[in-house]
Amino acid sequence: MSNEVIVLITKDRPSTLEKTLEQLGNGDTNTIIMDDSITDVTYKLVSDRYKRRNITYHGKSEQNALLLKYKNLKLKSFIKPLGMKDWNLGFVRNYALIVAKSFGYEKVLFMDDDIIVRHLECVEQIFVKASSYDFVGARITGMADDSVVGHVMRVCDGEFFEFLSGGFLAFNINKVSEYFLNYYNEDQIWLFLHSMGTRFESCCEVVQQQYDPFENAVMKALKQEYGEILEEGAEEAFRCGNHHLLLKNDFWKEICDTRLDYLNRLPELLVHKEINYIGLSIYRALIDYHSKISQESFISVFRQYFENRGLWNTILVSI
């Protein structure tokens, strides 16, 4: 059996998933459809159209069967049942690591259900790179994999950042030491929580399918903001070479102040822009949000994280 696997994570988006699966079915790499859907529409799609040797469906019933095998492991802090209505992506990614390890895979490519790989050679290249680097991503073109605020900034001043994304990210599972927090930006936070000597690389190019980044924009921005702050803190701690900063109140005050300075650029940038109204609505909602959040809450998140890290590594070794 090959030691390489694509884990394609999806949730109630069969039409989007179908476009992505069309390309992977022509390749040789084993692919696990990690289905976090609330309905059974994804199961029906895969069962009806993609019963191929290299595509395996993994949903609620498959999860229940696998967890019986590991019922003695203390997993409740790291995973939740597939198919939850609430935000569940961090827990799904943790579970995907357990599935890949359980099935004996070594190199894993996490892939979102809206990523188009125009040339399957890209999959081969990224797995080759994963032999020399800890984490390998790709340049994501098409629709930027960004937050609502990020998309507002792109419209305002063309701001564009290149970064590795869990939407298309390969790694050697035996080098993984951290688990995913279940907050927005869970992939970025996860990367920055690895050791300071972690080696990152990027190769090839993939395309993210189009969507409306401003649909329910205010609500989405509010749901994303806590994860945005957590990610900026994790990145700064990684850059400083000191994860202990994540447990200090002064550190989080500076992170929040910097984030507010960033948001306060919006009113001026939005002048004469087509998205002025929605942009200002987002701005006002987030400024109000920042007036209510506690810096101690970020410390609490990472205090609990570090307390559970040893257990997570024990679990990975046990599988």
Side-chain angles (χ1 to χ4, degrees):
M1 183 185 77
S2 170
N3 70 346
E4 300 170 351
V5 67
I6 299 170
V7 178
L8 203 163
I9 298 173
T10 188
K11 189 180 185 78
D12 291 308
R13 299 202 297 183
S15 59
T16 302
L17 174 64
E18 188 170 6
K19 294 177 183 177
T20 300
L21 279 178
E22 286 299 322
Q23 63 195 319
L24 297 179
N26 297 321
D28 295 325
T29 306
N30 291 329
T31 301
I32 298 173
I33 308 299
M34 186 61 59
D35 186 18
D36 188 35
S37 299
I38 298 170
T39 69
D40 63 355
V41 66
T42 301
Y43 170 75
K44 290 180 179 178
L45 170 68
V46 177
S47 298
D48 292 345
R49 300 195 56 184
Y50 298 99
K51 279 189 174 180
R52 303 173 183 171
R53 62 179 176 81
N54 66 320
I55 294 180
T56 302
Y57 176 86
H58 197 100
K60 298 175 188 176
S61 62
E62 289 78 12
Q63 182 187 46
N64 290 336
L66 185 64
L67 291 183
L68 279 176
K69 180 179 178 181
Y70 299 119
K71 61 183 179 181
N72 293 327
L73 297 181
K74 298 177 180 178
L75 295 171
K76 66 178 182 179
S77 297
F78 309 106
I79 66 172
K80 293 291 185 288
L82 294 171
M84 294 177 64
K85 292 183 179 180
D86 297 330
W87 177 268
N88 196 34
L89 188 52
F91 294 133
V92 174
R93 292 195 188 280
N94 287 334
Y95 179 63
L97 291 173
I98 290 171
V99 170
K101 191 101 186 313
S102 176
F103 290 176
Y105 292 108
E106 183 175 330
K107 294 180 183 178
V108 180
L109 170 60
F110 274 170
M111 182 172 170
D112 285 353
D113 61 5
D114 58 355
I115 295 293
I116 301 297
V117 182
R118 288 176 173 166
H119 306 288
L120 287 176
E121 290 82 1
C122 180
V123 174
E124 298 174 11
Q125 292 172 18
I126 203 169
F127 277 127
V128 169
K129 286 279 188 180
S131 296
S132 303
Y133 294 88
D134 298 310
F135 299 97
V136 185
R139 181 170 182 263
I140 299 178
T141 61
M143 175 59 69
D145 183 17
D146 209 342
S147 65
V148 173
V149 171
H151 281 287
V152 171
M153 285 296 188
R154 290 171 196 274
V155 172
C156 287
D157 64 0
E159 182 179 85
F160 183 81
F161 295 106
E162 288 282 352
F163 47 80
L164 296 188
S165 166
F168 197 82
L169 182 70
F171 51 90
N172 186 320
I173 199 168
N174 294 317
K175 296 181 180 179
V176 169
S177 60
E178 311 301 319
Y179 64 93
F180 290 90
L181 288 170
N182 194 50
Y183 295 96
Y184 179 74
N185 277 337
E186 80 296 327
D187 52 344
Q188 297 293 304
I189 298 167
W190 183 67
L191 289 171
F192 289 128
L193 284 171
H194 280 80
S195 69
M196 309 308 165
T198 299
R199 297 166 300 168
F200 302 100
E201 181 60 291
S202 182
C203 72
C204 66
E205 181 177 289
V206 296
V207 181
Q208 181 163 292
Q209 296 179 45
Q210 295 293 317
Y211 65 93
D212 180 1
F214 302 123
E215 182 180 3
N216 299 320
V218 173
M219 181 182 70
K220 284 199 294 188
L222 286 170
K223 288 183 176 180
Q224 292 170 349
E225 188 63 14
Y226 197 81
E228 292 275 74
I229 300 167
L230 288 174
E231 186 274 332
E232 291 184 8
E235 181 178 8
E236 182 62 19
F238 182 88
R239 186 178 291 128
C240 293
N242 184 4
H243 283 141
H244 293 294
L245 291 172
L246 297 169
L247 302 177
K248 297 185 179 298
N249 192 71
D250 288 347
F251 173 79
W252 284 108
K253 183 180 185 307
E254 185 174 344
I255 293 296
C256 290
D257 287 347
T258 300
R259 179 68 178 177
L260 277 172
D261 289 343
Y262 178 77
L263 293 174
N264 279 324
R265 296 170 54 201
L266 281 173
E268 183 177 351
L269 291 172
L270 284 163
V271 174
H272 304 309
K273 299 294 183 181
E274 290 184 4
I275 64 164
N276 179 274
Y277 176 77
I278 187 64
L280 288 177
S281 297
I282 293 167
Y283 167 74
R284 287 190 289 266
L286 292 182
I287 294 300
D288 180 65
Y289 178 84
H290 273 261
S291 72
K292 299 173 182 176
I293 57 176
S294 165
Q295 289 148 21
E296 179 61 35
S297 72
F298 303 113
I299 296 174
S300 179
V301 167
F302 284 106
R303 184 182 295 119
Q304 184 176 22
Y305 177 86
F306 293 129
E307 288 174 356
N308 287 334
R309 180 196 265 163
L311 175 59
W312 171 250
N313 281 282
T314 299
I315 289 169
L316 287 182
V317 170
S318 302
I319 293 174

